[in-house]
């Protein structure tokens, strides 16, 4: 049964990645991605539902890391104003990370291997041996916009890191990576054109 779920999550991950690619193309074709005003109006017409729904989506994409989180994070900044986007993105990712940390701590290695290969698991598991070194590594990954944050959160769940320390790091670091990642994707192309032009 475990092997079945392991394969199922891997297949779902591939499907989610392909679906996200086509979703981005479709949103661009119907004018949502290239018309920020249209996206903003969509959010404004649902002032309570839209932020709550988006926060829930972010929680789900962290707990079940088969949906590309980068896509949803950037969409948040395109749909909402910068403050709402930062808050909803960060809140969803923080809550999702806490749940993921708990599940990893409760169910251990078997839970981790549902979402990553043995090679990836062993690569990051080696970092646990050096407790102080892992704490620094964990902080850097939570700040970095390009680090495999969900994988590192699962690995952190296998360490002796306290919930208090985990939450402190997550609260301080994840908003930084959310903000940096989103603005790199949204404005990176424009900056590159200006530099090269």
């Amino acid at each position: 049964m475990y092997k079945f779920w392991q394969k199922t999550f891997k297949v779902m991950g591939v499907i989610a990645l392909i679906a996200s690619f086509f979703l981005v193309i479709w949103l661009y074709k119907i004018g949502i991605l290239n018309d920020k005003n249209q996206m903003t109006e969509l959010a404004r017409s649902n002032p309570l539902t839209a932020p709550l729904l988006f926060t829930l989506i972010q929680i789900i994409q962290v707990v079940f890391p088969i949906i590309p989180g980068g896509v949803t994070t950037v969409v948040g900044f395109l749909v909402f104003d910068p403050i709402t986007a930062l808050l909803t993105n960060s809140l969803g990712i923080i809550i999702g990370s806490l749940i993921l940390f708990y599940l990893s701590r409760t169910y251990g290695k078997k839970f981790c291997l549902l979402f990553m290969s043995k090679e990836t698991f062993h690569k990051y598991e080696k970092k646990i041996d050096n407790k102080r070194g892992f704490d620094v590594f964990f902080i850097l990954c939570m700040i970095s916009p390009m680090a495999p944050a969900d994988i590192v959160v699962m690995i952190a769940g296998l360490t002796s890191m306290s919930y208090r320390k985990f939450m402190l790091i997550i609260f301080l670091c994840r908003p930084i990576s959310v903000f940096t990642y989103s603005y790199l994707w949204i404005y990176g192309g424009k900056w590159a054109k200006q530099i090269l032009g």
Side-chain angles (χ1 to χ4, degrees), residues 52-65:
L52 287 173
L53 183 61
F54 182 75
T55 301
L56 181 62
I57 289 170
Q58 286 298 68
I59 293 171
I60 292 170
Q61 69 85 9
V62 172
V63 177
F64 297 99

Side-chain angles (χ1 to χ4, degrees), residues 18-38:
I18 295 169
S20 297
F21 174 76
F22 285 107
L23 177 64
V24 168
I25 293 173
W26 178 70
L27 290 174
Y28 185 83
K29 282 187 175 181
I30 64 174
I32 290 181
L33 281 185
N34 50 7
D35 186 354
K36 192 175 179 180
N37 292 328
Q38 189 175 341

Side-chain angles (χ1 to χ4, degrees), residues 101-173:
F101 182 82
Y102 168 78
L103 290 172
S104 179
R105 175 149 294 178
T106 304
Y107 299 106
K109 180 179 175 180
K110 281 194 170 184
F111 174 77
C112 297
L113 289 174
L114 285 173
F115 303 102
M116 66 181 92
S117 66
K118 286 184 179 180
E119 292 76 16
T120 301
F121 177 81
H122 292 310
K123 175 185 173 182
Y124 290 100
E125 185 188 32
K126 290 176 183 176
K127 306 216 177 260
I128 295 175
D129 297 335
N130 184 348
K131 185 180 180 299
R132 189 171 179 181
F134 181 80
D135 287 352
V136 173
F137 171 73
F138 182 68
I139 291 169
L140 292 174
C141 285
M142 294 304 101
I143 292 174
S144 170
M146 306 307 290
D150 297 337
I151 288 176
V152 178
V153 165
M154 283 189 275
I155 297 297
L158 304 179
T159 70
S160 59
M161 183 182 291
S162 67
Y163 279 94
R164 185 177 178 180
K165 181 189 280 189
F166 175 80
M167 287 306 297
L168 180 63
I169 294 170
I170 291 293
F171 267 108
L172 293 175
C173 299

